[in-house]
């Protein structure tokens, strides 16, 4: 198993509640598996191989397509709570009794809901480039970010615009990321559909409806939590990571400099080290 | 005026609403004055001269005793809202139309209320070692901290325990601070009374009563705000600084390493530089 990597791991399938989930599972066996929940419209290929392989060197990782997204069958949920239930069903179908959970962007929304409705399932939580339900600044995206994020066929340029800071240094790191994530040629995942994009966008907007009371939900996340975010995220305001660090009882926060939404993909080595240390 | 320092500035008095306020005002004239609001039981002498002089090199500073505390007459308020009204009356009595405002600990509670009830008075706000009304973890102090903070005659040992991290390096910085703040011999302020200590303790507890809804007040602080805090404050949990940074719309946060409640007094040079840059 040691030679299986993000680029070579086979796509597998498991069925739960009528959905056939596409997933990839690899890395150091005998550890609490780290389930990784993907960003808006992302599929199994959209992770940074450098990040995932560095994580997989120390723990088992599980990548998965949400229902209705890319190679998973079913219908994409239009709200986060339903997606969380689907991901819980997926972990149950795999026979996992305890997991570590990393959610990036909308994946972080889902991860928060999973931690709240299945506290005993989650040992430790990593929230990356994400924010809490109802927080100020979470209701929809900046117009320019929305345009790039909802592109019918997102290009590398769209990803650079959304994911990386608008500085020469960050953009250069972004180009390196594009090279890594496009490197796999065999058994590549299929693109996500416009229907799943639209459903996820509904979920994003519903999650962001201003609701100060809903912030109190964060005080119910009982597991140790690591919050990571770029210093100036253009998609989800960086300050909501501070808000999560302020209300989740056992939280640490790590802000990466000169970075935007995808700090995980800009600093894959550092981020994997921080996550591995936190989970270790 | 340039030669007047924290150690030589005369105590002056101004009257408002039947209270005779003791204050000291010095530093670079022609700037927006920086009013500094003191911590629990603290008086005009309890600031770090190294901090205040570094601030005064670039701006006018105004130190003041709350009503009923030390050399100010009147009765100490048992809640923060009333103290804020008193401090507004004090600034009016001095004829100040716009101020910068730095609040440390309970002074930061008062500063938040002032920013909310007199938004046009405050140009920029610095919140140091403080937290928001009703936040988790704000209701009273740890028993050991409370014992040292409420000592009838606080000693240097009490201050070291409350203000500095329980590490050799931080404690050594604390001893240096004690030397600085005890250096003034002439026209020293008088100690605060037990009555004012008890009133302030009531105000601290009232402010900390758990109230998730009250956190929304932070979204109404419209001025640019700098939040500074030690990495592991034993008196006011450091995470509530992140909470403030998450909800105050235009906020920056600076966490000082190996520091506790009085990071301002542990790193007077760095903190003055950060505050001067923010206000500049």
């Amino acid at each position: 198993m040691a030679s299986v990597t993000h680029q070579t791991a086979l796509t597998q399938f498991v069925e739960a509640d009528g959905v056939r989930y596409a997933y990839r599972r690899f890395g150091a066996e005998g550890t609490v598996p780290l389930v990784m929940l993907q960003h808006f419209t992302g599929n199994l290929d959209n992770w940074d191989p450098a990040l995932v392989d560095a994580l997989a060197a120390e723990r088992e990782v599980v990548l998965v397509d949400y229902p209705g997204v890319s190679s998973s069958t079913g219908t994409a949920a239009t709200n986060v709570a339903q997606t969380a239930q689907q991901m819980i069903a997926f972990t149950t179908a795999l026979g996992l009794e305890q997991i570590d959970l990393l959610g990036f962007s909308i994946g972080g929304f889902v991860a928060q809901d999973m931690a709240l409705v299945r506290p005993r399932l989650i040992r430790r939580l990593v929230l990356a480039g994400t924010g809490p339900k109802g927080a100020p600044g979470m209701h929809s995206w900046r117009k320019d970010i929305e345009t790039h994020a909802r592109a019918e066929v997102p290009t590398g340029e769209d990803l650079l615009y959304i994911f990386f800071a608008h500085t020469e240094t960050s953009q250069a790191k972004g180009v390196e990321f594009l090279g890594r994530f496009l490197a796999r040629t065999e058994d590549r995942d299929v693109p996500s559909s416009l229907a799943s994009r639209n459903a996820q966008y509904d979920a994003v907007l519903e999650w962001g409806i201003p609701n100060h009371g809903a912030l109190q939900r964060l005080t119910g996340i009982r597991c140790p939590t690591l919050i990571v975010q770029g210093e100036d995220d253009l998609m989800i305001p960086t300050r909501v990571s501070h808000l999560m660090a302020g209300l989740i009882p056992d939280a640490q926060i790590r802000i990466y400099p000169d970075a935007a939404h995808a700090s995980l993909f800009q600093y894959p080595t550092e981020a994997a080290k921080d996550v591995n240390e936190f989970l270790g």
Side-chain angles (χ1 to χ4, degrees), chain A:
Chain A
M1 280 294 283
S3 62
V4 176
T5 68
H6 187 274
Q7 304 297 48
T8 62
L10 294 178
T11 303
Q12 304 179 70
F13 296 91
V14 66
E15 188 148 333
D17 298 336
V19 172
R20 190 166 173 260
Y21 288 88
Y23 72 99
R24 294 178 187 154
R25 182 175 179 176
F26 57 103
E29 289 181 40
T31 57
V32 176
L34 174 65
V35 175
M36 299 178 65
L37 300 180
Q38 189 57 288
H39 64 72
F40 184 69
T41 73
N43 64 24
L44 296 171
D45 292 326
N46 281 93
W47 295 103
D48 184 340
L51 172 78
V52 177
D53 286 337
L55 293 169
E58 301 197 16
R59 64 200 65 260
E60 199 174 25
V61 296
V62 179
L63 316 181
V64 57
D65 282 336
Y66 301 114
V69 173
S70 300
S71 299
S72 284
T73 65
T75 305
T78 55
N79 64 72
V80 170
Q82 193 187 341
T83 313
Q85 290 294 348
Q86 292 168 331
M87 288 298 104
I88 290 166
F90 164 72
T91 59
T92 303
L94 286 187
L96 304 176
E97 291 185 358
Q98 191 171 50
I99 62 172
D100 291 330
L101 186 61
L102 181 153
F104 172 30
S105 195
I106 194 174
F109 306 168
V110 177
Q112 289 171 65
D113 259 29
M114 288 175 72
L116 288 169
V117 300
R118 282 297 182 283
R120 288 192 212 293
L121 175 64
I122 321 290
R123 190 185 68 105
R124 286 184 169 239
L125 182 63
V126 182
L127 299 174
T130 193
K133 184 178 174 76
M138 290 291 294
H139 196 216
S140 84
W141 299 316
R142 284 171 30 166
K143 181 69 188 142
D144 56 341
I145 292 291
E146 181 183 327
T147 302
H148 286 279
R150 302 192 71 213
E152 292 213 358
V153 183
T155 63
E157 199 179 315
D158 291 317
L159 292 182
L160 290 176
Y161 193 94
I162 301 163
F163 277 175
F164 296 88
H166 296 176
T167 64
E168 277 188 27
T169 41
S170 182
Q171 291 288 310
K173 293 283 187 188
V175 171
E176 292 174 20
F177 159 70
L178 291 183
R180 292 192 298 271
F181 113 88
L182 293 169
R184 179 171 178 146
T185 51
E186 290 189 21
D187 188 29
R188 234 183 132 76
D189 204 355
V190 298
S192 55
S193 66
L194 291 184
S196 65
R197 180 202 70 177
N198 291 343
Q200 289 191 329
Y201 192 58
D202 281 344
V204 166
L205 283 164
E206 197 271 342
W207 182 260
I209 296 172
N211 184 347
H212 180 78
L215 298 177
Q216 196 168 13
R217 292 160 33 107
L218 294 168
T219 65
I221 295 179
R222 296 297 171 186
C223 57
T225 301
L226 173 67
I227 295 157
V228 299
Q229 172 81 303
E231 165 176 63
D232 187 19
D233 191 327
L234 307 175
M235 191 168 217
I236 294 184
T238 301
R239 68 192 181 98
V240 299
S241 279
H242 289 285
L243 179 49
M244 293 192 296
L247 286 173
I248 295 174
D250 184 2
Q252 304 170 36
I253 184 169
R254 174 87 166 81
I255 301 293
Y256 296 99
D258 185 37
H261 193 54
S263 60
L264 287 182
F265 302 165
Q266 178 166 344
Y267 298 103
T269 308
E270 295 86 341
K273 182 168 176 289
D274 288 340
V275 171
N276 276 330
E277 280 180 8
F278 169 71
L279 298 179

